[in-house]
């Protein structure tokens, strides 16, 4: 599996249990409707998706950290993540892309206000980790206030910034990806949203 702009999907729901016999730890990831149980090792690999732009970069990063496991099948792990809706490619060419319905976005962090033309966004629990956004980036970030399907976020971006579908998609592809990588947007894959729209 190769490609660029794949993003981590789902929430880290935490530690589940440890096997008494082996000491292996298991974690839960997913969304409020469906959780997936993965090993601690897979959990750490899943977290690394936020640090890279391409799957080849991810493989290189993982190989550098797991040299004592030369036979590790990274494609099998990526396929598992994809099959369990724990990653998706962040590239939307048209508003007809069903992923726009199935991905649910929640805005993370707080807006602290505007300083010299930039908006400061951060988390009160991590003092000093604030991020500054330009007005366009701020509007994209804020379009997910309260949580919404990605198609609705796109509609909000179009309305608030007076953009065409093509312009809004281009902005969503670029800025949405960055917001996810920074942890300012949380993503969940909810396939029932696609099914509801199809009915």
């Amino acid at each position: 599996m190769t490609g660029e702009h794949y993003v981590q999907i789902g929430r880290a729901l935490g530690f589940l249990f440890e096997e008494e016999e082996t000491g292996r730890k298991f974690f839960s990831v997913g969304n409020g409707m469906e959780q997936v149980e993965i090993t601690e090792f897979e959990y750490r690999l899943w977290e690394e998706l936020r640090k890279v732009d391409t799957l080849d970069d991810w493989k290189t990063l993982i190989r550098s950290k797991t040299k004592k496991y030369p036979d590790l099948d990274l494609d099998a792990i990526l396929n598992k993540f994809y099959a369990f809706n724990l990653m998706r490619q962040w590239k939307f060419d048209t508003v007809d892309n069903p992923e726009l319905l199935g991905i649910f976005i929640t805005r993370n962090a707080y807006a602290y206000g505007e300083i010299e033309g930039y908006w400061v966004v951060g988390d009160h629990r991590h003092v000093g980790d604030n991020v500054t956004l330009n007005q366009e980036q701020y509007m994209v970030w804020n379009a997910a206030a309260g949580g919404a399907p990605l198609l609705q976020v796109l509609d909000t971006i179009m309305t608030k910034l007076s953009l065409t579908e093509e312009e809004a998609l281009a902005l969503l592809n670029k800025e949405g990806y960055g917001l996810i990588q920074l942890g300012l947007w949380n993503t969940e894959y909810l396939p029932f949203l696609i099914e509801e729209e199809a009915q």
Side-chain angles (χ1 to χ4, degrees), residues 34-45:
E34 184 176 304
Q35 296 83 43
V36 177
E37 181 182 300
I38 58 177
T39 66
E40 180 179 21
F41 183 70
E42 291 169 330
Y43 179 78
R44 300 292 175 225
L45 298 183

Side-chain angles (χ1 to χ4, degrees), residues 1-192:
M1 182 176 251
T2 61
E4 62 181 9
H5 296 307
Y6 276 82
V7 296
Q8 179 190 56
I9 298 284
R11 295 179 183 270
L13 301 173
F15 174 75
L16 278 177
F17 66 91
E18 181 175 344
E19 287 180 344
E20 283 187 39
E21 317 81 56
T22 65
R24 287 179 55 192
K25 295 178 182 175
F26 291 84
F27 288 75
S28 178
V29 294
N31 58 58
M33 309 293 277
E34 184 176 304
Q35 296 83 43
V36 177
E37 181 182 300
I38 58 177
T39 66
E40 180 179 21
F41 183 70
E42 291 169 330
Y43 179 78
R44 300 292 175 225
L45 298 183
W46 175 72
E47 286 183 318
E48 297 293 333
L49 285 170
R50 283 191 190 233
K51 298 180 181 176
V52 295
D53 286 325
T54 71
L55 293 182
D56 287 337
D57 290 345
W58 179 83
K59 289 176 186 178
T60 300
L61 175 67
I62 300 307
R63 290 264 180 247
S64 73
K65 293 182 174 194
T66 59
K67 290 180 181 174
K68 56 184 174 181
Y69 305 105
D71 297 330
L72 187 61
D73 188 347
L74 295 179
D75 281 323
I77 292 169
L78 288 172
N79 287 329
K80 178 178 182 176
F81 291 164
Y82 196 87
F84 284 123
N85 300 319
L86 299 178
M87 65 178 260
R88 283 290 184 267
Q89 189 170 28
W90 193 264
K91 183 179 179 187
F92 310 102
D93 296 325
T94 71
V95 294
D96 297 324
N97 186 325
E99 300 282 334
L100 289 170
L101 290 170
I103 296 175
F104 191 85
I105 301 292
T106 306
R107 182 189 80 179
N108 293 329
Y110 304 95
Y112 289 112
E114 183 216 347
I115 299 173
E116 298 178 8
Y118 288 89
W119 280 258
V120 179
V121 174
D123 184 343
H124 69 281
R125 295 170 295 177
H126 303 285
V127 177
D129 287 347
N130 295 338
V131 175
T132 56
L133 305 174
N134 63 34
Q135 182 178 8
E136 195 171 66
Q137 291 167 325
Y138 175 81
M139 297 294 276
V140 172
W141 171 75
N142 200 42
L150 196 49
L151 190 60
Q152 185 177 331
V153 171
L154 179 67
D155 186 59
T156 301
I157 292 168
M158 288 171 53
T159 302
K160 296 280 185 187
L161 293 172
S162 301
L163 300 176
T164 65
E165 281 183 1
E166 293 79 20
E167 292 167 335
L169 272 174
L171 188 62
L172 181 68
N173 281 326
K174 178 184 174 197
E175 301 300 346
Y177 176 77
L179 291 168
I180 293 167
Q181 297 301 85
L182 289 170
L184 295 176
W185 268 6
N186 206 42
T187 57
E188 297 177 81
Y189 193 74
L190 304 173
F192 74 87

